[in-house]
Amino acid sequence: MLVWGSGGGYAQIGEAGTGLCANCNAVRPFNFGVNYRHAHIWYIFKWITSRSYVRLCSVCDKGAKVTKAEALAGGVEPKLPGLPRWVWGAIAALIIGLVILGFQSAEETKRRVADMVAHPKIGDVYLLDLANVSSSYSDGHAYGLMKVTTVAKDGGLTVVTANEASDRLSGARKDLRKSDYAAAANFDADDPIELSAARVAELRDAGTFEDVRR
């Protein structure tokens, strides 16, 4: 569950000299400060969404807005909630790294799958949209498993499809991960499908095979 929200506050910056406070009607010392709003995720990842710089009386906390340049002229930065810039940079670098790793992993899976399909073995289990190999599935996607039962000399295959299919790839992927799913009872052994070597190559080149288990 994503927990997010917002908040706000005030942070003092530094002394702003003395002057006549219209509210106190007296000469008072003043301070520079900043009113801010922030957003957060899980109360940990915080970032500032707005800032308003002010010059306030140190006695009654009344005053007026000033520019950022005026408030920060003394070289003092306010302490605001949120992660330091270098942490945000590290988070951004981590996200980019994960995206790159995910892309590399996907490319490696494609290469592995293509190689295994090019060199099939009896018992190989393929993950794909079964509508590409069986006319039994004609309405939408039917993601499921297909097991190789015979490999011809020319690379053609005899396969059987799973008894169940899903309209979601994730469901069929879970079945592929089950070590005992390749059992014959989960496949329609009474309705084998013949796939020529050319058809297998066509499906492979089209990226039809999502994954293979051997």
Side-chain angles (χ1 to χ4, degrees):
M1 178 180 179
L2 184 64
V3 178
W4 65 277
S6 63
Y10 169 82
Q12 186 168 304
I13 297 175
E15 296 180 353
T18 59
L20 178 63
C21 173
N23 186 64
C24 296
N25 195 27
V27 176
R28 302 293 195 192
F30 280 74
N31 293 308
F32 286 122
V34 57
N35 293 311
Y36 62 85
R37 296 290 301 173
H38 72 267
H40 70 79
I41 298 177
W42 289 312
Y43 301 95
I44 298 175
F45 301 101
K46 298 180 180 180
W47 62 96
I48 302 300
T49 56
S50 66
R51 307 184 193 206
S52 176
Y53 294 91
V54 291
R55 180 174 180 266
L56 303 180
C57 171
S58 62
V59 176
C60 68
D61 290 331
K62 302 295 183 180
K65 291 183 178 181
V66 296
T67 66
K68 178 180 179 180
E70 290 178 293
L72 302 182
V76 179
E77 290 284 345
K79 294 182 178 180
L80 301 179
L83 298 176
R85 290 182 179 179
W86 70 267
V87 175
W88 284 113
I91 292 175
L94 177 60
I95 293 174
I96 293 173
L98 290 175
V99 170
I100 292 175
L101 285 175
F103 177 78
Q104 292 176 338
S105 177
E107 289 300 308
E108 176 58 31
T109 297
K110 288 181 180 180
R111 288 192 291 269
R112 177 178 59 81
V113 169
D115 181 68
M116 293 179 74
V117 173
H119 302 87
K121 292 185 178 181
I122 295 175
D124 284 353
V125 179
Y126 298 162
L127 168 62
L128 71 158
D129 186 343
L130 297 177
N132 289 289
V133 296
S134 174
S135 59
S136 300
Y137 305 100
S138 57
D139 298 327
H141 293 295
Y143 294 106
L145 306 184
M146 180 179 78
K147 185 170 68 171
V148 177
T149 59
T150 304
V151 178
K153 291 182 178 180
D154 64 354
L157 304 177
T158 301
V159 300
V160 290
T161 57
N163 293 322
E164 297 180 356
S166 172
D167 59 354
R168 294 185 179 183
L169 179 61
S170 58
R173 195 178 293 280
K174 289 180 181 178
D175 289 336
L176 184 67
R177 292 171 182 162
K178 297 176 182 177
S179 60
D180 60 345
Y181 195 89
N186 291 312
F187 292 87
D188 186 6
D190 296 329
D191 188 19
I193 299 172
E194 301 292 334
L195 297 175
S196 67
R199 179 56 176 160
V200 173
E202 181 183 0
L203 293 172
R204 180 196 65 208
D205 295 341
T208 302
F209 300 108
E210 300 287 346
D211 207 345
V212 181
R213 178 169 184 157
R214 177 168 292 171

